[in-house]
Amino acid sequence: NAKDRRSLYYPGEALLALARYQDLTPTPERAEQLSRASHWMVTRQWRALGLRLKVLPDAWLSQALELLHLQTGDPALAAHLLKIGDTLASQQISPTWGAPDRRGANLRWGMPNVVSVGSTAEGFAAVARLERRVRPGERRFLEHTEASVAFALRNQYTAPLLFGLRRPEQALGGFRD
């Protein structure tokens, strides 16, 4: 059923593709299309009766808004991207407390895994780049990015973790999940 396969994140992914295409081959028409699409996503998506219902932890939308902010300087894009960063941060196991092997992992999607942390790290990195531009000296989202990356690297196959694997030479450098 096509409806069952619909993703909440496709609009962010589509916006990212269009923003990257605009970055490669800029046109005034596409800039206008991007402005309309990003404005809708920031001001209208996930709203009812004038109230924001939720801010999705959308890594693709994060990357799109960061690139569009770089291109346009639109403060509304920056403000919404920082809200996405707050949502991502609220769903991450603290980098400073809790079980050391789980620090930096996600609280959602069951057991922590590298796949979900990878997409979260993409989102955090976009917010961290924006943070560097609009809040010089602040490192909150860079620290969350570092925690995500550290979790992923703790789950990478290294020589000590290869014992007992059928083909250790093929696993070296891969990620456990």
Side-chain angles (χ1 to χ4, degrees):
N1 175 333
K3 188 176 180 180
D4 293 338
R5 293 189 303 266
R6 202 172 303 155
S7 169
L8 300 174
Y9 303 103
Y10 288 161
E13 188 176 13
L15 188 66
L16 176 59
L18 192 58
R20 286 184 175 165
Y21 185 53
Q22 172 71 356
D23 198 44
L24 289 171
T25 58
T27 69
E29 297 84 9
R30 197 172 307 110
E32 178 57 31
Q33 293 165 342
L34 280 161
S35 177
R36 281 194 313 267
S38 61
H39 182 265
W40 178 83
M41 294 182 87
V42 167
T43 62
R44 303 253 187 234
Q45 187 182 35
W46 299 106
R47 286 187 177 265
L49 303 173
L51 301 173
R52 173 154 308 279
L53 300 176
K54 66 166 90 178
V55 175
L56 290 177
D58 187 339
W60 285 313
L61 181 57
S62 298
Q63 294 172 76
L65 293 179
E66 191 271 329
L67 179 55
L68 290 171
H69 180 267
L70 188 62
Q71 294 170 354
T72 67
D74 185 343
L77 302 180
H80 192 72
L81 180 51
L82 292 168
K83 288 177 189 171
I84 293 173
D86 290 337
T87 299
L88 289 167
S90 75
Q91 297 178 356
Q92 185 184 49
I93 297 172
S94 171
T96 58
W97 60 266
D101 63 334
R102 298 289 189 236
R103 292 178 184 167
N106 293 333
L107 291 168
R108 58 193 165 127
W109 300 321
M111 289 298 292
N113 63 71
V114 174
V115 173
S116 66
V117 167
S119 64
T120 299
E122 289 176 326
F124 275 134
V127 182
R129 285 189 299 271
L130 174 83
E131 179 181 54
R132 183 175 285 167
R133 283 195 309 273
V134 301
R135 295 178 175 173
E138 289 192 30
R139 297 179 34 90
R140 177 180 177 219
F141 294 110
L142 179 60
E143 290 169 2
H144 281 286
T145 306
E146 291 168 344
S148 294
V149 170
F151 175 82
L153 291 176
R154 283 193 304 275
N155 286 281
Q156 185 177 38
Y157 281 112
T158 58
L161 298 174
L162 297 175
F163 180 77
L165 295 180
R166 190 170 177 193
R167 294 191 179 112
E169 67 284 351
Q170 290 181 356
L172 186 62
F175 291 93
R176 299 180 289 156
D177 201 29

